[in-house]
Amino acid sequence: MDAACVAAFCAMIASMNRIALLLVCVLAWLPANSAAAEKPGEASIVFVGDVMVAETPGELIAKGVDPFLPFQPILRAHDIRIGNLECTVATGGKAEAKPYTFRADPAVLPLLARHFDAMSLANNHSGDFGKAAFAEQLGLMKQAGLPYFGGGVDATEAHAPWIVERNGLRIALLGYLEFKPRSFEADAHRPGVAWSGEDDRVIEDIIAARTVHHADIVIPYMHWGWEEEAQPSPRLRAFARRMIDAGADMVVGGHPHVTQGAETYKGKPIVYSLGNFLFNGFDTEATTTGWVLSLRVGREGVREWRTHVARLDANGVPHPAIDAASPCGVAGDPAVRQCKGTP
């Protein structure tokens, strides 16, 4: 065996060891056999940041590479797996006049459906190829058995929560875009995403998730803030707290392509930005570092939560960084803690 083959073999073994260690850490933190054995009154949820399956990630998938494999153990260990689908998935449409537009081949959908239970569509790339392409995407996702939220055939569907039941809990997830262009917004007769610039509408949706949809847990997943800013703005902090006052059990955010810190308000967690998860084209430490958010919920709210650090390689593929510290906490914590390795 030549030197190149030996090096490749060693790298593969090292990668397998990292994945095995990650699985040990996840299973140590989650309830035994969390995703497989039902525990009445408790469910586990995992959120990842921006998932962009066009360009290099899409090319890898077309070649049979699974870019989610390094994080498969943590995804599989949860009852509900959520990501933000940061591109259009369609065959038609014309690119909008904006700096970056992303359109993925519909052939990526079976892989997404294998790793995720639902995707948020509330982002600034869902409309990259126009309303017709977005409508095509909605139909393709339904055919693939991949639920979505934060977008729809009209404003009513876009603002409706995705309701899922696990282990006796009824969970509502909402998605909103608060970054230009607003032309991607759904209206009464056209498809698009749910817009969060009208704060009162978001608050009404959160309240309705409880009163109309009878959800035990309500979590809005926001697409907000300015790109590459390390801290959330006063506007985001104020609105996150208003959502919790309205009944949200937690607020999760994304869009800036960097992580933005976390805090607690009235004992409930706010994670302002998860950063990138699967996304090529970035080369700074901040933009190639993301968080994967893992939480346990009960009827009373979020019981425990922690983030896991993801490092993106040159192809935009995420890999676990077990030794890196990141935010975590338990119910009622007055402040955010830092966790790493085995919890």
Side-chain angles (χ1 to χ4, degrees), residues 48-117:
V48 306
D50 294 347
V51 176
M52 201 284 291
V53 285
E55 296 190 346
T56 303
E59 293 169 3
L60 291 174
I61 294 171
K63 293 176 182 176
V65 176
D66 183 350
F68 302 108
L69 191 59
F71 269 93
Q72 180 172 282
I74 191 170
L75 294 174
R76 275 189 177 173
H78 290 77
D79 298 306
I80 304 168
R81 305 159 297 170
I82 305 298
N84 170 58
L85 184 53
E86 186 87 347
C87 60
T88 302
V89 181
T91 58
K94 180 180 178 182
E96 296 285 305
K98 56 196 296 272
Y100 301 100
T101 55
F102 305 118
R103 180 175 57 187
D105 191 306
V108 304
L109 289 173
L111 184 65
L112 287 172
R114 185 187 313 164
H115 290 290
F116 296 96
D117 295 294

Side-chain angles (χ1 to χ4, degrees), residues 79-80 82 117 162-166 169-173:
D79 298 306
I80 304 168
I82 305 298
D117 295 294
W162 179 57
I163 301 291
V164 59
E165 296 191 12
R166 293 289 190 276
L169 288 179
R170 189 169 172 85
I171 298 163
L173 299 180

Side-chain angles (χ1 to χ4, degrees), residues 181-239:
R182 187 164 182 175
S183 60
F184 290 1
E185 180 184 12
D187 62 25
H189 305 290
R190 296 190 304 166
V193 302
W195 182 257
S196 74
E198 310 296 339
D199 294 358
D200 289 345
R201 178 68 188 273
V202 177
I203 298 304
E204 290 171 4
D205 291 345
I206 291 171
I207 294 171
R210 298 275 191 197
T211 59
V212 177
H213 299 280
H214 308 293
D216 300 304
I217 298 294
V218 180
I219 302 176
Y221 190 3
M222 311 300 294
H223 205 76
W224 57 3
W226 292 98
E227 295 181 356
E228 299 191 39
E229 285 193 350
Q231 296 296 326
S233 67
R235 145 72 188 169
L236 300 193
R237 292 183 188 276
F239 189 41

Side-chain angles (χ1 to χ4, degrees), residues 41-42 169 210 216-217 249 268 297-303 331:
E42 182 174 275
L169 288 179
R210 298 275 191 197
D216 300 304
I217 298 294
D249 293 286
K268 297 182 179 182
V297 298
R299 207 168 300 279
E300 73 284 3
V302 176
R303 292 177 174 174

Side-chain angles (χ1 to χ4, degrees), residues 56-57 60 65-71 277-280 288 310-320:
T56 303
L60 291 174
V65 176
D66 183 350
F68 302 108
L69 191 59
F71 269 93
F277 183 66
L278 175 65
F279 216 132
N280 69 293
T288 56
R311 306 281 193 205
L312 278 60
D313 64 22
N315 291 321
V317 175
H319 299 269

Side-chain angles (χ1 to χ4, degrees), residues 82-83 113 116-121 141-142 144-149 162:
I82 305 298
F116 296 96
D117 295 294
M119 305 295 288
S120 174
L121 303 182
M141 292 182 73
K142 289 176 182 176
L146 180 57
Y148 56 79
F149 60 95
W162 179 57

